PDB file of all heavy atoms in Angstrom:
ATOM      1  N   ASP A   1     -35.465 -12.484   9.947  1.00  0.00           N
ATOM      2  CA  ASP A   1     -35.314 -11.868  11.264  1.00  0.00           C
ATOM      3  C   ASP A   1     -34.005 -11.075  11.333  1.00  0.00           C
ATOM      4  O   ASP A   1     -33.979  -9.939  11.824  1.00  0.00           O
ATOM      5  CB  ASP A   1     -35.302 -12.925  12.373  1.00  0.00           C
ATOM      6  CG  ASP A   1     -36.606 -13.687  12.492  1.00  0.00           C
ATOM      7  OD1 ASP A   1     -37.676 -13.120  12.177  1.00  0.00           O
ATOM      8  OD2 ASP A   1     -36.552 -14.873  12.897  1.00  0.00           O
ATOM      9  N   LEU A   2     -32.929 -11.692  10.868  1.00  0.00           N
ATOM     10  CA  LEU A   2     -31.625 -11.008  10.889  1.00  0.00           C
ATOM     11  C   LEU A   2     -31.644  -9.767  10.005  1.00  0.00           C
ATOM     12  O   LEU A   2     -31.104  -8.718  10.371  1.00  0.00           O
ATOM     13  CB  LEU A   2     -30.519 -11.953  10.429  1.00  0.00           C
ATOM     14  CG  LEU A   2     -30.123 -13.035  11.407  1.00  0.00           C
ATOM     15  CD1 LEU A   2     -29.085 -13.959  10.784  1.00  0.00           C
ATOM     16  CD2 LEU A   2     -29.569 -12.428  12.682  1.00  0.00           C
ATOM     17  N   ASN A   3     -32.277  -9.869   8.846  1.00  0.00           N
ATOM     18  CA  ASN A   3     -32.369  -8.715   7.953  1.00  0.00           C
ATOM     19  C   ASN A   3     -33.170  -7.585   8.586  1.00  0.00           C
ATOM     20  O   ASN A   3     -32.813  -6.411   8.451  1.00  0.00           O
ATOM     21  CB  ASN A   3     -32.970  -9.124   6.609  1.00  0.00           C
ATOM     22  CG  ASN A   3     -32.011  -9.920   5.771  1.00  0.00           C
ATOM     23  OD1 ASN A   3     -30.796  -9.798   5.904  1.00  0.00           O
ATOM     24  ND2 ASN A   3     -32.546 -10.751   4.900  1.00  0.00           N
ATOM     25  N   ALA A   4     -34.237  -7.919   9.282  1.00  0.00           N
ATOM     26  CA  ALA A   4     -35.053  -6.891   9.948  1.00  0.00           C
ATOM     27  C   ALA A   4     -34.255  -6.197  11.046  1.00  0.00           C
ATOM     28  O   ALA A   4     -34.287  -4.965  11.166  1.00  0.00           O
ATOM     29  CB  ALA A   4     -36.322  -7.522  10.522  1.00  0.00           C
ATOM     30  N   ALA A   5     -33.530  -6.971  11.850  1.00  0.00           N
ATOM     31  CA  ALA A   5     -32.717  -6.390  12.925  1.00  0.00           C
ATOM     32  C   ALA A   5     -31.589  -5.536  12.343  1.00  0.00           C
ATOM     33  O   ALA A   5     -31.315  -4.431  12.833  1.00  0.00           O
ATOM     34  CB  ALA A   5     -32.146  -7.495  13.811  1.00  0.00           C
ATOM     35  N   THR A   6     -30.963  -6.021  11.291  1.00  0.00           N
ATOM     36  CA  THR A   6     -29.892  -5.276  10.643  1.00  0.00           C
ATOM     37  C   THR A   6     -30.414  -3.970  10.054  1.00  0.00           C
ATOM     38  O   THR A   6     -29.789  -2.912  10.199  1.00  0.00           O
ATOM     39  CB  THR A   6     -29.235  -6.128   9.541  1.00  0.00           C
ATOM     40  OG1 THR A   6     -28.711  -7.317  10.139  1.00  0.00           O
ATOM     41  CG2 THR A   6     -28.112  -5.382   8.849  1.00  0.00           C
ATOM     42  N   ALA A   7     -31.557  -4.032   9.402  1.00  0.00           N
ATOM     43  CA  ALA A   7     -32.150  -2.828   8.811  1.00  0.00           C
ATOM     44  C   ALA A   7     -32.456  -1.782   9.881  1.00  0.00           C
ATOM     45  O   ALA A   7     -32.202  -0.591   9.685  1.00  0.00           O
ATOM     46  CB  ALA A   7     -33.422  -3.191   8.033  1.00  0.00           C
ATOM     47  N   LEU A   8     -32.963  -2.238  11.023  1.00  0.00           N
ATOM     48  CA  LEU A   8     -33.256  -1.315  12.118  1.00  0.00           C
ATOM     49  C   LEU A   8     -31.980  -0.625  12.609  1.00  0.00           C
ATOM     50  O   LEU A   8     -31.941   0.601  12.759  1.00  0.00           O
ATOM     51  CB  LEU A   8     -33.922  -2.055  13.274  1.00  0.00           C
ATOM     52  CG  LEU A   8     -34.128  -1.251  14.553  1.00  0.00           C
ATOM     53  CD1 LEU A   8     -35.063  -0.072  14.310  1.00  0.00           C
ATOM     54  CD2 LEU A   8     -34.640  -2.137  15.660  1.00  0.00           C
ATOM     55  N   LEU A   9     -30.932  -1.408  12.831  1.00  0.00           N
ATOM     56  CA  LEU A   9     -29.672  -0.830  13.303  1.00  0.00           C
ATOM     57  C   LEU A   9     -29.078   0.114  12.260  1.00  0.00           C
ATOM     58  O   LEU A   9     -28.544   1.179  12.604  1.00  0.00           O
ATOM     59  CB  LEU A   9     -28.679  -1.939  13.660  1.00  0.00           C
ATOM     60  CG  LEU A   9     -29.048  -2.755  14.895  1.00  0.00           C
ATOM     61  CD1 LEU A   9     -28.103  -3.938  15.045  1.00  0.00           C
ATOM     62  CD2 LEU A   9     -29.037  -1.898  16.140  1.00  0.00           C
ATOM     63  N   GLN A  10     -29.178  -0.249  10.987  1.00  0.00           N
ATOM     64  CA  GLN A  10     -28.648   0.624   9.936  1.00  0.00           C
ATOM     65  C   GLN A  10     -29.429   1.932   9.848  1.00  0.00           C
ATOM     66  O   GLN A  10     -28.837   2.997   9.638  1.00  0.00           O
ATOM     67  CB  GLN A  10     -28.653  -0.103   8.594  1.00  0.00           C
ATOM     68  CG  GLN A  10     -27.597  -1.178   8.515  1.00  0.00           C
ATOM     69  CD  GLN A  10     -27.674  -2.000   7.247  1.00  0.00           C
ATOM     70  OE1 GLN A  10     -28.745  -2.137   6.643  1.00  0.00           O
ATOM     71  NE2 GLN A  10     -26.555  -2.555   6.845  1.00  0.00           N
ATOM     72  N   LYS A  11     -30.748   1.873  10.038  1.00  0.00           N
ATOM     73  CA  LYS A  11     -31.553   3.103  10.039  1.00  0.00           C
ATOM     74  C   LYS A  11     -31.150   3.999  11.205  1.00  0.00           C
ATOM     75  O   LYS A  11     -31.050   5.219  11.060  1.00  0.00           O
ATOM     76  CB  LYS A  11     -33.043   2.774  10.109  1.00  0.00           C
ATOM     77  CG  LYS A  11     -33.604   2.249   8.812  1.00  0.00           C
ATOM     78  CD  LYS A  11     -35.075   1.920   8.935  1.00  0.00           C
ATOM     79  CE  LYS A  11     -35.601   1.327   7.649  1.00  0.00           C
ATOM     80  NZ  LYS A  11     -37.005   0.955   7.719  1.00  0.00           N
ATOM     81  N   MET A  12     -30.934   3.382  12.360  1.00  0.00           N
ATOM     82  CA  MET A  12     -30.514   4.161  13.533  1.00  0.00           C
ATOM     83  C   MET A  12     -29.131   4.774  13.289  1.00  0.00           C
ATOM     84  O   MET A  12     -28.894   5.933  13.628  1.00  0.00           O
ATOM     85  CB  MET A  12     -30.500   3.272  14.773  1.00  0.00           C
ATOM     86  CG  MET A  12     -31.887   2.837  15.215  1.00  0.00           C
ATOM     87  SD  MET A  12     -31.889   1.558  16.493  1.00  0.00           S
ATOM     88  CE  MET A  12     -30.997   2.351  17.820  1.00  0.00           C
ATOM     89  N   GLN A  13     -28.245   4.013  12.685  1.00  0.00           N
ATOM     90  CA  GLN A  13     -26.907   4.517  12.391  1.00  0.00           C
ATOM     91  C   GLN A  13     -26.981   5.674  11.401  1.00  0.00           C
ATOM     92  O   GLN A  13     -26.334   6.703  11.587  1.00  0.00           O
ATOM     93  CB  GLN A  13     -26.034   3.394  11.829  1.00  0.00           C
ATOM     94  CG  GLN A  13     -24.627   3.847  11.504  1.00  0.00           C
ATOM     95  CD  GLN A  13     -23.809   2.766  10.815  1.00  0.00           C
ATOM     96  OE1 GLN A  13     -24.346   1.900  10.137  1.00  0.00           O
ATOM     97  NE2 GLN A  13     -22.517   2.824  11.010  1.00  0.00           N
ATOM     98  N   HIS A  14     -27.768   5.514  10.359  1.00  0.00           N
ATOM     99  CA  HIS A  14     -27.902   6.563   9.351  1.00  0.00           C
ATOM    100  C   HIS A  14     -28.496   7.835   9.958  1.00  0.00           C
ATOM    101  O   HIS A  14     -28.047   8.942   9.667  1.00  0.00           O
ATOM    102  CB  HIS A  14     -28.769   6.069   8.191  1.00  0.00           C
ATOM    103  CG  HIS A  14     -28.963   7.082   7.112  1.00  0.00           C
ATOM    104  ND1 HIS A  14     -27.951   7.466   6.258  1.00  0.00           N
ATOM    105  CD2 HIS A  14     -30.053   7.806   6.763  1.00  0.00           C
ATOM    106  CE1 HIS A  14     -28.402   8.389   5.428  1.00  0.00           C
ATOM    107  NE2 HIS A  14     -29.678   8.608   5.714  1.00  0.00           N
ATOM    108  N   ALA A  15     -29.487   7.673  10.820  1.00  0.00           N
ATOM    109  CA  ALA A  15     -30.146   8.829  11.425  1.00  0.00           C
ATOM    110  C   ALA A  15     -29.227   9.594  12.365  1.00  0.00           C
ATOM    111  O   ALA A  15     -29.317  10.818  12.470  1.00  0.00           O
ATOM    112  CB  ALA A  15     -31.404   8.380  12.166  1.00  0.00           C
ATOM    113  N   THR A  16     -28.348   8.867  13.053  1.00  0.00           N
ATOM    114  CA  THR A  16     -27.481   9.508  14.039  1.00  0.00           C
ATOM    115  C   THR A  16     -26.091   9.820  13.520  1.00  0.00           C
ATOM    116  O   THR A  16     -25.408  10.683  14.060  1.00  0.00           O
ATOM    117  CB  THR A  16     -27.318   8.618  15.282  1.00  0.00           C
ATOM    118  OG1 THR A  16     -26.652   7.408  14.903  1.00  0.00           O
ATOM    119  CG2 THR A  16     -28.662   8.308  15.926  1.00  0.00           C
ATOM    120  N   GLY A  17     -25.649   9.076  12.500  1.00  0.00           N
ATOM    121  CA  GLY A  17     -24.284   9.241  11.995  1.00  0.00           C
ATOM    122  C   GLY A  17     -23.245   8.617  12.908  1.00  0.00           C
ATOM    123  O   GLY A  17     -22.053   8.768  12.691  1.00  0.00           O
ATOM    124  N   ALA A  18     -23.699   7.914  13.925  1.00  0.00           N
ATOM    125  CA  ALA A  18     -22.780   7.296  14.896  1.00  0.00           C
ATOM    126  C   ALA A  18     -22.314   5.929  14.399  1.00  0.00           C
ATOM    127  O   ALA A  18     -22.991   5.295  13.590  1.00  0.00           O
ATOM    128  CB  ALA A  18     -23.495   7.132  16.235  1.00  0.00           C
ATOM    129  N   PRO A  19     -21.169   5.466  14.885  1.00  0.00           N
ATOM    130  CA  PRO A  19     -20.720   4.114  14.545  1.00  0.00           C
ATOM    131  C   PRO A  19     -21.761   3.086  14.990  1.00  0.00           C
ATOM    132  O   PRO A  19     -22.477   3.290  15.978  1.00  0.00           O
ATOM    133  CB  PRO A  19     -19.422   3.947  15.328  1.00  0.00           C
ATOM    134  CG  PRO A  19     -18.953   5.325  15.601  1.00  0.00           C
ATOM    135  CD  PRO A  19     -20.203   6.165  15.729  1.00  0.00           C
ATOM    136  N   LEU A  20     -21.824   1.983  14.264  1.00  0.00           N
ATOM    137  CA  LEU A  20     -22.830   0.961  14.537  1.00  0.00           C
ATOM    138  C   LEU A  20     -22.763   0.457  15.973  1.00  0.00           C
ATOM    139  O   LEU A  20     -23.794   0.272  16.619  1.00  0.00           O
ATOM    140  CB  LEU A  20     -22.673  -0.204  13.558  1.00  0.00           C
ATOM    141  CG  LEU A  20     -23.783  -1.238  13.574  1.00  0.00           C
ATOM    142  CD1 LEU A  20     -25.141  -0.609  13.356  1.00  0.00           C
ATOM    143  CD2 LEU A  20     -23.514  -2.299  12.519  1.00  0.00           C
ATOM    144  N   ALA A  21     -21.577   0.241  16.503  1.00  0.00           N
ATOM    145  CA  ALA A  21     -21.449  -0.243  17.885  1.00  0.00           C
ATOM    146  C   ALA A  21     -22.057   0.760  18.866  1.00  0.00           C
ATOM    147  O   ALA A  21     -22.700   0.372  19.840  1.00  0.00           O
ATOM    148  CB  ALA A  21     -19.990  -0.505  18.226  1.00  0.00           C
ATOM    149  N   THR A  22     -21.872   2.038  18.606  1.00  0.00           N
ATOM    150  CA  THR A  22     -22.423   3.073  19.473  1.00  0.00           C
ATOM    151  C   THR A  22     -23.946   3.092  19.392  1.00  0.00           C
ATOM    152  O   THR A  22     -24.631   3.287  20.397  1.00  0.00           O
ATOM    153  CB  THR A  22     -21.857   4.456  19.078  1.00  0.00           C
ATOM    154  OG1 THR A  22     -20.432   4.401  19.167  1.00  0.00           O
ATOM    155  CG2 THR A  22     -22.378   5.553  19.974  1.00  0.00           C
ATOM    156  N   VAL A  23     -24.473   2.854  18.208  1.00  0.00           N
ATOM    157  CA  VAL A  23     -25.923   2.816  18.016  1.00  0.00           C
ATOM    158  C   VAL A  23     -26.527   1.623  18.751  1.00  0.00           C
ATOM    159  O   VAL A  23     -27.561   1.731  19.406  1.00  0.00           O
ATOM    160  CB  VAL A  23     -26.256   2.746  16.510  1.00  0.00           C
ATOM    161  CG1 VAL A  23     -27.719   2.436  16.282  1.00  0.00           C
ATOM    162  CG2 VAL A  23     -25.871   4.042  15.820  1.00  0.00           C
ATOM    163  N   ALA A  24     -25.876   0.477  18.668  1.00  0.00           N
ATOM    164  CA  ALA A  24     -26.422  -0.757  19.243  1.00  0.00           C
ATOM    165  C   ALA A  24     -26.259  -0.830  20.757  1.00  0.00           C
ATOM    166  O   ALA A  24     -27.070  -1.456  21.435  1.00  0.00           O
ATOM    167  CB  ALA A  24     -25.763  -1.967  18.596  1.00  0.00           C
ATOM    168  N   MET A  25     -25.232  -0.217  21.298  1.00  0.00           N
ATOM    169  CA  MET A  25     -24.911  -0.378  22.715  1.00  0.00           C
ATOM    170  C   MET A  25     -26.070  -0.053  23.655  1.00  0.00           C
ATOM    171  O   MET A  25     -26.330  -0.835  24.572  1.00  0.00           O
ATOM    172  CB  MET A  25     -23.683   0.460  23.085  1.00  0.00           C
ATOM    173  CG  MET A  25     -23.131   0.127  24.445  1.00  0.00           C
ATOM    174  SD  MET A  25     -22.628  -1.605  24.650  1.00  0.00           S
ATOM    175  CE  MET A  25     -21.278  -1.700  23.510  1.00  0.00           C
ATOM    176  N   PRO A  26     -26.816   1.051  23.466  1.00  0.00           N
ATOM    177  CA  PRO A  26     -27.921   1.313  24.400  1.00  0.00           C
ATOM    178  C   PRO A  26     -28.983   0.218  24.396  1.00  0.00           C
ATOM    179  O   PRO A  26     -29.636  -0.021  25.406  1.00  0.00           O
ATOM    180  CB  PRO A  26     -28.511   2.640  23.901  1.00  0.00           C
ATOM    181  CG  PRO A  26     -27.411   3.284  23.148  1.00  0.00           C
ATOM    182  CD  PRO A  26     -26.621   2.162  22.537  1.00  0.00           C
ATOM    183  N   LEU A  27     -29.148  -0.457  23.271  1.00  0.00           N
ATOM    184  CA  LEU A  27     -30.134  -1.533  23.191  1.00  0.00           C
ATOM    185  C   LEU A  27     -29.756  -2.722  24.062  1.00  0.00           C
ATOM    186  O   LEU A  27     -30.602  -3.482  24.501  1.00  0.00           O
ATOM    187  CB  LEU A  27     -30.287  -2.000  21.743  1.00  0.00           C
ATOM    188  CG  LEU A  27     -30.758  -0.942  20.750  1.00  0.00           C
ATOM    189  CD1 LEU A  27     -30.708  -1.503  19.336  1.00  0.00           C
ATOM    190  CD2 LEU A  27     -32.156  -0.475  21.101  1.00  0.00           C
ATOM    191  N   TYR A  28     -28.460  -2.871  24.298  1.00  0.00           N
ATOM    192  CA  TYR A  28     -27.959  -4.036  25.027  1.00  0.00           C
ATOM    193  C   TYR A  28     -27.201  -3.657  26.288  1.00  0.00           C
ATOM    194  O   TYR A  28     -26.443  -4.439  26.825  1.00  0.00           O
ATOM    195  CB  TYR A  28     -27.063  -4.874  24.108  1.00  0.00           C
ATOM    196  CG  TYR A  28     -27.760  -5.212  22.816  1.00  0.00           C
ATOM    197  CD1 TYR A  28     -27.416  -4.578  21.637  1.00  0.00           C
ATOM    198  CD2 TYR A  28     -28.799  -6.126  22.806  1.00  0.00           C
ATOM    199  CE1 TYR A  28     -28.080  -4.882  20.454  1.00  0.00           C
ATOM    200  CE2 TYR A  28     -29.470  -6.429  21.631  1.00  0.00           C
ATOM    201  CZ  TYR A  28     -29.096  -5.800  20.458  1.00  0.00           C
ATOM    202  OH  TYR A  28     -29.763  -6.086  19.303  1.00  0.00           O
ATOM    203  N   SER A  29     -27.421  -2.438  26.778  1.00  0.00           N
ATOM    204  CA  SER A  29     -26.646  -1.948  27.911  1.00  0.00           C
ATOM    205  C   SER A  29     -26.778  -2.828  29.142  1.00  0.00           C
ATOM    206  O   SER A  29     -25.826  -2.986  29.902  1.00  0.00           O
ATOM    207  CB  SER A  29     -27.020  -0.507  28.242  1.00  0.00           C
ATOM    208  OG  SER A  29     -28.389  -0.426  28.593  1.00  0.00           O
ATOM    209  N   GLU A  30     -27.959  -3.434  29.347  1.00  0.00           N
ATOM    210  CA  GLU A  30     -28.122  -4.271  30.533  1.00  0.00           C
ATOM    211  C   GLU A  30     -27.181  -5.467  30.519  1.00  0.00           C
ATOM    212  O   GLU A  30     -26.786  -5.967  31.566  1.00  0.00           O
ATOM    213  CB  GLU A  30     -29.577  -4.730  30.701  1.00  0.00           C
ATOM    214  CG  GLU A  30     -30.068  -5.706  29.652  1.00  0.00           C
ATOM    215  CD  GLU A  30     -30.588  -5.041  28.370  1.00  0.00           C
ATOM    216  OE1 GLU A  30     -30.527  -3.818  28.240  1.00  0.00           O
ATOM    217  OE2 GLU A  30     -31.057  -5.780  27.496  1.00  0.00           O
ATOM    218  N   LEU A  31     -26.788  -5.918  29.347  1.00  0.00           N
ATOM    219  CA  LEU A  31     -25.823  -7.020  29.259  1.00  0.00           C
ATOM    220  C   LEU A  31     -24.457  -6.605  29.791  1.00  0.00           C
ATOM    221  O   LEU A  31     -23.733  -7.411  30.349  1.00  0.00           O
ATOM    222  CB  LEU A  31     -25.655  -7.491  27.814  1.00  0.00           C
ATOM    223  CG  LEU A  31     -26.869  -8.119  27.159  1.00  0.00           C
ATOM    224  CD1 LEU A  31     -26.586  -8.368  25.685  1.00  0.00           C
ATOM    225  CD2 LEU A  31     -27.252  -9.391  27.855  1.00  0.00           C
ATOM    226  N   PHE A  32     -24.122  -5.343  29.589  1.00  0.00           N
ATOM    227  CA  PHE A  32     -22.792  -4.863  29.940  1.00  0.00           C
ATOM    228  C   PHE A  32     -22.758  -4.180  31.303  1.00  0.00           C
ATOM    229  O   PHE A  32     -21.699  -3.810  31.774  1.00  0.00           O
ATOM    230  CB  PHE A  32     -22.289  -3.917  28.856  1.00  0.00           C
ATOM    231  CG  PHE A  32     -22.179  -4.596  27.532  1.00  0.00           C
ATOM    232  CD1 PHE A  32     -23.173  -4.486  26.592  1.00  0.00           C
ATOM    233  CD2 PHE A  32     -21.090  -5.413  27.250  1.00  0.00           C
ATOM    234  CE1 PHE A  32     -23.097  -5.150  25.377  1.00  0.00           C
ATOM    235  CE2 PHE A  32     -21.005  -6.080  26.033  1.00  0.00           C
ATOM    236  CZ  PHE A  32     -22.002  -5.945  25.101  1.00  0.00           C
ATOM    237  N   GLN A  33     -23.919  -4.038  31.937  1.00  0.00           N
ATOM    238  CA  GLN A  33     -23.975  -3.411  33.247  1.00  0.00           C
ATOM    239  C   GLN A  33     -24.383  -4.394  34.316  1.00  0.00           C
ATOM    240  O   GLN A  33     -24.728  -4.001  35.427  1.00  0.00           O
ATOM    241  CB  GLN A  33     -24.971  -2.243  33.224  1.00  0.00           C
ATOM    242  CG  GLN A  33     -24.572  -1.134  32.300  1.00  0.00           C
ATOM    243  CD  GLN A  33     -25.662  -0.089  32.189  1.00  0.00           C
ATOM    244  OE1 GLN A  33     -26.716  -0.180  32.780  1.00  0.00           O
ATOM    245  NE2 GLN A  33     -25.395   0.941  31.391  1.00  0.00           N
ATOM    246  N   GLY A  34     -24.377  -5.663  34.006  1.00  0.00           N
ATOM    247  CA  GLY A  34     -24.755  -6.671  34.995  1.00  0.00           C
ATOM    248  C   GLY A  34     -26.173  -6.506  35.502  1.00  0.00           C
ATOM    249  O   GLY A  34     -26.468  -6.810  36.645  1.00  0.00           O
ATOM    250  N   GLY A  35     -27.061  -6.001  34.635  1.00  0.00           N
ATOM    251  CA  GLY A  35     -28.459  -5.839  35.023  1.00  0.00           C
ATOM    252  C   GLY A  35     -28.718  -4.599  35.861  1.00  0.00           C
ATOM    253  O   GLY A  35     -29.808  -4.395  36.346  1.00  0.00           O
ATOM    254  N   GLN A  36     -27.700  -3.753  36.047  1.00  0.00           N
ATOM    255  CA  GLN A  36     -27.862  -2.544  36.865  1.00  0.00           C
ATOM    256  C   GLN A  36     -28.260  -1.367  36.009  1.00  0.00           C
ATOM    257  O   GLN A  36     -27.972  -1.318  34.824  1.00  0.00           O
ATOM    258  CB  GLN A  36     -26.547  -2.234  37.570  1.00  0.00           C
ATOM    259  CG  GLN A  36     -26.066  -3.361  38.466  1.00  0.00           C
ATOM    260  CD  GLN A  36     -24.662  -3.087  38.973  1.00  0.00           C
ATOM    261  OE1 GLN A  36     -24.085  -2.045  38.729  1.00  0.00           O
ATOM    262  NE2 GLN A  36     -24.110  -4.052  39.689  1.00  0.00           N
TER     263      GLN A  36
END
């Protein structure tokens, strides 16, 4: 499971050239926006 999630994030990072944190943040934005 961890390898699959990591591979997905790495593919997104490679496709965009963005730092990993920047790639992952939209996936988890609701955590950082208090559900808003």
Side-chain angles (χ1 to χ4, degrees):
D1 296 330
L2 287 176
N3 287 334
T6 301
L8 173 63
L9 291 172
Q10 288 174 333
K11 285 179 183 178
M12 291 170 59
Q13 180 186 28
H14 180 71
T16 64
L20 189 55
T22 302
V23 169
M25 192 59 66
L27 300 173
Y28 307 106
S29 61
E30 68 275 3
L31 295 173
F32 299 98
Q33 296 173 359
Q36 301 171 4

